[in-house]
Amino acid sequence: MPGRSFRFIHASDLHLEQPVGGGSEIPDAWRQLLIDAPYRAAERLFDAAVHEQVDFVVLSGDVVQAAQAGPRALLFLAEQFERLAQQRIAVYWCGGEVDALEQWPVAMRLKENVHRFPTDRVAVVVHHRGDEPLAQLIGAGASGWHRLRPAEFTRESTNLYAIAVAYGQVDAEALVKSPLQYWALGGEHRRRSLLSGQTIAQ
């Protein structure tokens, strides 16, 4: 693959609005730790992006349900995106079931380094380092869980590494012949790799 090397981090399903649960009785000493757990996990993600000096971060859905999470989560994300902006790290974010673009509060404007993919179509964004194009990101947000159509994710240039950013269900067999090198998928609450090799899907 021609072009310069680059690095990125892919994450999804942070669900900042959901504290850790499942226990019938929680000791008082653990209560605040469980409330803070989603934030601590997300902060480690952004810490890694800064420490490793990645070129960009890919978020593929269900980051936060703004209406349910309240001001704390929105302020936290704004602070993290500001940290990335100071390091010239971009964010490419496709919405999922709880964080579709249309659900984001209008009054909460995102930093210029944060790019949201639309829900009504697949869009292509080229990431640059200075004036040099490094990679193309082909993404579409979602307003609910649905089956993805890989054929709709088409690249504009064969000279750039191509990353699909999507939320939903897809069969690994449908991605085998994909011309894209990486599928940044969201919508599942456990990490797994659908494909590895010439095409990677996670």
Side-chain angles (χ1 to χ4, degrees):
M1 177 64 56
R4 294 182 61 184
S5 63
F6 62 92
R7 295 195 291 177
F8 69 96
I9 288 179
H10 162 221
S12 69
D13 298 271
L14 301 179
H15 283 291
L16 295 177
E17 78 284 353
Q18 293 182 3
V20 175
S24 58
E25 295 184 12
I26 301 173
D28 290 340
W30 293 7
R31 193 174 305 275
Q32 193 60 46
L33 289 174
L34 293 177
I35 291 172
D36 291 341
Y39 293 91
R40 288 173 178 251
E43 190 171 28
R44 290 182 66 183
L45 160 72
F46 296 116
D47 286 346
V50 172
H51 178 73
E52 298 295 335
Q53 282 294 288
V54 301
D55 291 277
F56 52 88
V57 172
V58 175
L59 300 174
S60 47
D62 285 357
V63 173
V64 62
Q65 186 173 16
Q68 184 176 334
R72 178 188 179 187
L74 301 185
L75 180 59
F76 170 82
L77 274 182
E79 290 172 348
Q80 300 307 316
F81 291 156
E82 173 64 30
R83 287 178 64 201
L84 298 183
Q86 291 175 1
Q87 300 296 319
R88 298 184 179 180
I89 299 173
V91 177
Y92 298 98
W93 180 4
C94 81
E97 188 172 3
V98 306
D99 61 349
L101 179 60
E102 294 79 9
Q103 297 172 0
W104 190 254
V106 176
M108 190 71 182
R109 298 191 63 181
L110 295 169
K111 297 289 296 182
E112 291 183 0
N113 65 317
V114 180
H115 308 272
R116 296 291 311 261
F117 287 103
T119 56
D120 60 344
R121 68 187 189 283
V122 176
V124 179
V125 179
V126 175
H127 179 82
H128 291 77
R129 183 187 293 153
D131 294 330
E132 181 183 11
L134 290 183
Q136 56 189 322
L137 295 100
I138 303 101
S143 56
W145 184 249
H146 68 288
R147 182 167 290 278
L148 297 172
R149 298 184 179 91
E152 295 179 354
F153 292 75
T154 58
R155 59 194 302 167
E156 291 186 349
S157 169
T158 58
N159 295 323
L160 293 175
Y161 193 89
I163 301 168
V165 186
Y167 177 95
Q169 183 179 13
V170 65
D171 296 323
E173 294 78 10
L175 302 180
V176 171
K177 296 181 180 179
S178 170
L180 313 184
Q181 284 80 31
Y182 189 97
W183 283 80
L185 301 172
E188 293 195 11
H189 293 170
R190 61 183 178 88
R191 183 184 182 277
R192 70 183 181 117
S193 296
L194 288 180
L195 285 178
S196 60
Q198 194 167 13
T199 298
I200 299 171
Q202 297 186 350

